[in-house]
Amino acid sequence: MKKQIQHYEKNYYLFAFSLFCIKGFSQNEKKEVKDFKKNEIKVNALYLILGAFEVAYERAVDDESAVGGSVLFLLDKAGDTTSGFALSPYYRFYFGAKPVSGFFMEGFSMYQNATRNSSYYNVGYYDSNGNYVYGSNYNKQEKVSALALGIGLGGKWYTKRGVMFEINCGIGRNISISSNIPNTDYNKITGKIGITAGYRF
């Protein structure tokens, strides 16, 4: 019985010592991530190539999560769209070993506003005298705005000097669409993609 008690005492002391070591390690680990750089500004290089300018700012909440937002302006005409901008706030959760780095998942919202030249066709009809009136084409400038919610994922890496590189993509659904031209159908699905470079400070 005495040997059994001594065995339990040894196990207890070993367990207590292990907890002390783990606690000390956790404190050191926590202390190491307190001083990391929490602010970040970046530009989407892919959109620059495609004719748009997107800049984003991100702020770390802790070593595993961050909040941020991006704003995009259309520089070149894209199809029938002559001008436009988008505003997209987001929240991210990171899975990398370094603070706010590596693989991440995000939830985002996006407000888009665009102006485009649209062509429409009036269907022919019969007037009150029974004469057929042929349909005709006409052009009109359309202003469209949409609000979307979505999810995304990507990866982020940075150097000791604060230079960062990021790849991301996301898909969302437009929950609200408005237009100055009524009865127009729009795609409910929207998205975003980025190959981004920036600086952490």
Side-chain angles (χ1 to χ4, degrees):
M1 183 70 178
K2 186 175 181 182
K3 289 183 179 180
Q4 189 175 8
I5 293 174
Q6 290 176 345
H7 176 72
Y8 286 142
E9 286 180 349
K10 289 180 180 179
N11 288 341
Y12 172 78
Y13 290 128
L14 181 62
F15 178 72
F17 179 73
S18 299
L19 288 179
F20 177 78
C21 293
I22 292 172
K23 184 177 179 182
F25 176 77
S26 300
Q27 288 177 343
N28 291 335
E29 188 72 17
K30 188 175 181 181
K31 185 177 180 180
E32 288 178 1
V33 299
K34 281 184 177 180
D35 299 329
F36 70 92
K37 298 175 181 179
K38 297 183 177 181
N39 299 289
E40 188 175 286
I41 190 165
K42 49 197 172 183
V43 175
N44 192 335
L46 177 62
Y47 281 173
L48 279 176
I49 296 173
L50 297 178
F53 176 76
E54 182 185 45
V55 61
Y57 170 77
E58 185 174 312
R59 168 77 178 181
V61 177
D62 52 38
D63 62 324
E64 293 182 336
S65 61
V67 294
S70 65
V71 58
L72 178 147
F73 297 95
L74 189 65
L75 300 177
D76 300 332
K77 180 180 177 181
D80 294 330
T81 304
T82 58
S83 64
F85 78 92
L87 181 65
S88 180
Y90 61 81
Y91 173 84
R92 288 178 175 177
F93 191 83
Y94 289 87
F95 297 88
K98 294 182 179 180
V100 287
S101 67
F103 174 75
F104 64 81
M105 298 183 68
E106 73 171 37
F108 69 89
S109 63
M110 182 185 297
Y111 173 76
Q112 302 174 76
N113 188 286
T115 300
R116 65 181 190 177
N117 296 320
S118 299
S119 298
Y120 296 89
Y121 178 75
N122 281 332
V123 179
Y125 63 93
Y126 289 93
D127 62 17
S128 57
N129 297 321
N131 298 317
Y132 183 77
V133 179
Y134 289 94
S136 60
N137 292 315
Y138 72 97
N139 297 320
K140 187 174 182 179
Q141 190 176 73
E142 182 181 20
K143 294 185 178 180
V144 185
S145 60
L147 179 64
L149 295 177
I151 57 174
L153 51 84
K156 179 189 291 184
W157 306 268
Y158 64 93
T159 67
K160 293 181 180 180
R161 296 184 178 181
V163 179
M164 58 77 56
F165 176 75
E166 176 186 307
I167 298 176
N168 69 82
C169 63
I171 186 170
R173 181 176 179 85
N174 288 317
I175 59 175
S176 175
I177 302 175
S178 63
S179 170
N180 64 321
I181 299 178
N183 303 321
T184 306
D185 292 330
Y186 296 98
N187 191 350
K188 296 289 186 178
I189 303 301
T190 187
K192 63 178 185 176
I193 187 170
I195 299 176
T196 304
Y199 182 71
R200 179 174 289 182
F201 58 95

